[in-house]
Amino acid sequence: MDIENNPRNLAVTVLSKVKTGAYSNLQLNNVINDHTLIPADVNLLTTIVYGVVQHRLTLDFYLAPFLKNPDKVEPWVRELLYTALFQELYLDRIPKRAIFNETIEIAKQRGHEGIRRFVTGVLHQMDRTGLPDVATIKDPIERLVVTYSVPKWFINALIDQRGEEKALSILSKINQPANQSIRVNTVELSLDDAVRRLTEEGFEVRESIVSGTGLVVSGQPANQSTLFKNGQVTIQDESAMLPAESMQLDDQMWVLDACAAPGGKTTQIATYLSPEKGGKVTALDIHPHKIKLINQNAKRLHVQDQIEAVQLDARKVDEKFDDETFDRILVDAPCSGLGLIRRKPEIRYEKSLSDSQHLQKVQLDILNGVAPKLKTDGILVYSTCTILDEENKDVYTEFLRQNSNFRSVKVKTDKNLKLDRKTDYLEIFPDDFDSDGFFISAFQKVK
């Protein structure tokens, strides 16, 4: 067995790093780039890593009865046992014999004879006695914690804010694989042309039901397409395309993207603007390396003439810009990111309600900082990629309370999403359209 390039062994390596704070997507990319793996092994590695992270609390519940001294189990050994459990429970095409044999061999080669015997014993004991039943958990919230592998505070917040039926619908969706979606760079080609050319390359393609310039693709990684390499499409979630759609842009406007990195929405805004007619977007970020990233994305997508990237904290725009400067402003604010759980599954374990409460102040500070820079009658769009009221509805309400010279306007999108809603703002939940969770609101400055 070539343990060096074995996807199950590499999954243990990635998971051990994720458990100590690393991002799953970055670690996966690093490992895939550093090893010689066939596509099937890349898929298995990716599936195991995301699967174990997504179901960690569930797997922990199943494993717990078989660990007599859990504190003495080395972290990597626990991750190895999680990978075996995940494969047996969630991957129906892999024979149990293959899972056990490879898991035991990895234990032997990564550890020593004692670890091999321990792992062998745990696996066979689980097989003999069977796993504990989640239905035996008496507390209903704790049962949901284990079933969906999310912390109790998040479940309580969802039930409090959305009701039990909607909360359960959201929870049932967040452990399902996220779609691979792309935005067509309409400066370069039309949606129809993109569909035709991607289909010719072997992709399965369908138009987004969420965004007017979005496509959902499958069959192979989107970043391997010729269109991506040529800057004619970019990888972006369907929901993330909505803030720019809602800004009511025309080609002569000067737009401020106040929290711009890595530049997905900046480059999308740029597609509406004509540099020949004076249209441009000024993109802010506090970190110099992220300014570089914005510029790289702008160049790759051939919209660099419309984009000016500036290193600046959005709360300090007074240092650089006069009042009444911009026709439109986007604040896609720093947030907890809980709408992205399917793409970044580890964040469910890292966040708390207090994080959202702290972020609310940051979000309001940014909004209040940029608001004077908007021209009268201009539109300010506030968006987040989270699904909690603390960072969404509550910020929207408080901004209006503090700024009497702004009024709420109804968010409109190319696909006319949720036209029958009672609110001006638009909330997208993961179970609505099978896209990321997002919040989009819009304010118009009045005299």
Side-chain angles (χ1 to χ4, degrees):
M1 174 176 164
D2 175 17
I3 193 170
E4 179 67 23
N5 290 301
N6 182 281
R8 293 175 173 88
N9 178 56
L10 293 174
V12 174
T13 299
V14 173
L15 288 163
S16 298
K17 292 179 179 178
V18 171
K19 192 66 173 70
T20 57
Y23 289 115
S24 56
N25 58 335
L26 298 180
Q27 287 302 314
L28 264 173
N29 289 339
N30 290 341
V31 166
I32 290 167
N33 290 335
D34 291 344
H35 292 80
T36 305
L37 301 173
I38 61 174
D41 285 347
V42 171
N43 289 338
L44 180 59
L45 166 62
T46 303
T47 299
I48 292 174
V49 168
Y50 280 128
V52 169
V53 174
Q54 286 172 332
H55 298 284
R56 185 175 292 280
L57 299 181
T58 311
L59 298 172
D60 200 44
F61 170 79
Y62 288 138
L63 183 60
F66 305 99
L67 302 182
K68 294 179 181 177
N69 298 297
D71 293 341
K72 294 184 179 180
V73 179
E74 290 189 46
W76 74 265
V77 176
R78 186 184 289 267
E79 300 301 327
L80 176 62
L81 290 168
Y82 286 155
T83 65
L85 259 176
F86 170 76
Q87 291 172 81
E88 184 177 350
L89 291 170
Y90 298 98
L91 303 183
D92 53 9
R93 294 184 180 179
I94 303 178
K96 183 188 297 184
R97 181 183 68 256
I99 297 169
F100 279 28
N101 287 345
E102 288 219 16
T103 302
I104 292 166
E105 185 64 23
I106 291 168
K108 176 182 175 181
Q109 293 200 35
R110 285 187 74 127
H112 49 71
E113 180 60 19
I115 288 176
R116 185 198 66 78
R117 288 199 305 269
F118 170 75
V119 168
T120 303
V122 170
L123 292 177
H124 287 295
Q125 188 183 357
M126 286 192 295
D127 196 37
R128 284 194 308 271
T129 64
L131 299 174
D133 188 352
V134 175
T136 61
I137 302 173
K138 293 182 179 179
D139 181 87
I141 300 299
E142 190 60 39
R143 193 161 57 244
L144 293 176
V145 167
V146 173
T147 300
Y148 296 108
S149 191
V150 290
K152 183 179 289 188
W153 75 265
F154 184 59
I155 292 174
N156 284 330
L158 281 181
I159 292 174
D160 288 347
Q161 296 177 14
R162 308 296 160 205
E164 187 171 353
E165 183 179 354
K166 183 65 173 177
L168 291 175
S169 180
I170 293 170
L171 290 170
S172 68
K173 179 61 70 172
I174 61 174
N175 287 331
Q176 296 178 16
N179 288 328
Q180 183 178 215
S181 57
I182 57 175
R183 174 173 58 81
V184 177
N185 181 5
T186 52
V187 169
E188 295 288 305
L189 81 171
S190 70
L191 209 66
D192 288 343
D193 285 341
V195 171
R196 176 181 55 80
R197 291 175 60 181
L198 288 164
T199 302
E200 289 171 356
E201 286 193 45
F203 286 89
E204 295 176 26
V205 188
R206 65 172 173 84
E207 288 193 22
S208 170
I209 60 173
V210 178
S211 167
T213 54
L215 299 174
V216 177
V217 299
S218 57
Q220 53 188 308
N223 63 0
Q224 293 181 7
S225 72
T226 303
L227 298 190
F228 179 86
K229 293 171 183 175
N230 291 343
Q232 294 166 308
V233 303
T234 190
I235 296 169
Q236 191 172 357
D237 185 76
E238 299 163 87
S239 296
M241 304 175 201
L242 299 178
E245 282 188 10
S246 70
M247 294 180 75
Q248 303 177 36
L249 296 166
D250 72 43
D251 59 5
Q252 301 177 53
M253 289 180 171
W254 187 4
V255 182
L256 176 67
D257 186 352
C259 310
K265 297 177 185 66
T266 304
T267 55
Q268 183 181 0
I269 291 168
T271 64
Y272 292 87
L273 308 176
S274 167
E276 292 79 17
K277 295 181 180 179
K280 71 172 180 177
V281 51
T282 297
L284 307 184
D285 195 89
I286 194 171
H287 301 292
H289 69 280
K290 291 188 175 180
I291 294 297
K292 184 177 179 182
L293 195 57
I294 294 168
N295 285 326
Q296 287 172 344
N297 281 327
K299 187 173 182 180
R300 187 179 73 81
L301 293 166
H302 315 294
V303 290
Q304 66 269 30
D305 290 346
Q306 297 99 299
I307 294 173
E308 172 194 32
V310 178
Q311 184 187 346
L312 184 69
D313 186 331
R315 292 168 291 188
K316 298 179 180 178
V317 286
D318 278 334
E319 296 177 6
K320 181 96 177 156
F321 303 105
D322 295 330
D323 289 354
E324 301 267 333
T325 293
F326 298 100
D327 300 289
R328 298 286 187 269
I329 296 177
L330 172 63
V331 175
D332 185 53
C335 71
S336 60
L338 291 165
L340 311 180
I341 280 181
R342 289 197 296 174
R343 297 185 191 281
K344 299 179 179 179
E346 63 271 18
I347 66 174
R348 71 185 75 192
Y349 312 119
E350 300 168 355
K351 304 296 181 180
S352 66
L353 191 59
S354 62
D355 290 326
S356 291
Q357 292 162 345
H358 167 73
L359 283 161
Q360 182 184 104
K361 181 181 186 306
V362 175
Q363 292 153 352
L364 279 166
D365 285 348
I366 293 171
L367 281 170
N368 289 328
V370 302
K373 309 307 169 189
L374 185 68
K375 292 178 181 177
T376 301
D377 297 325
I379 302 288
L380 165 60
V381 168
Y382 171 72
S383 63
T384 72
C385 55
T386 192
I387 54 177
L388 296 182
D389 285 347
E390 284 79 4
E391 302 173 67
N392 294 340
K393 183 181 72 175
D394 294 353
V395 172
Y396 162 91
T397 301
E398 183 61 17
F399 175 77
L400 286 173
R401 190 190 70 79
Q402 294 181 18
N403 295 271
S404 58
N405 60 331
F406 279 83
R407 67 178 184 92
S408 175
V409 294
K410 189 158 189 172
V411 168
K412 297 177 182 178
T413 62
D414 291 353
K415 298 282 188 178
N416 294 318
L417 299 178
K418 296 188 175 183
L419 273 182
D420 60 347
R421 68 185 188 275
K422 296 178 181 179
T423 59
D424 286 341
Y425 55 78
L426 175 62
E427 294 176 293
I428 304 293
F429 298 100
D431 61 321
D432 289 339
F433 306 107
D434 204 20
S435 60
D436 288 347
F438 244 82
F439 175 88
I440 306 103
S441 58
F443 312 99
Q444 186 171 36
K445 194 173 190 179
V446 294
K447 292 181 180 178

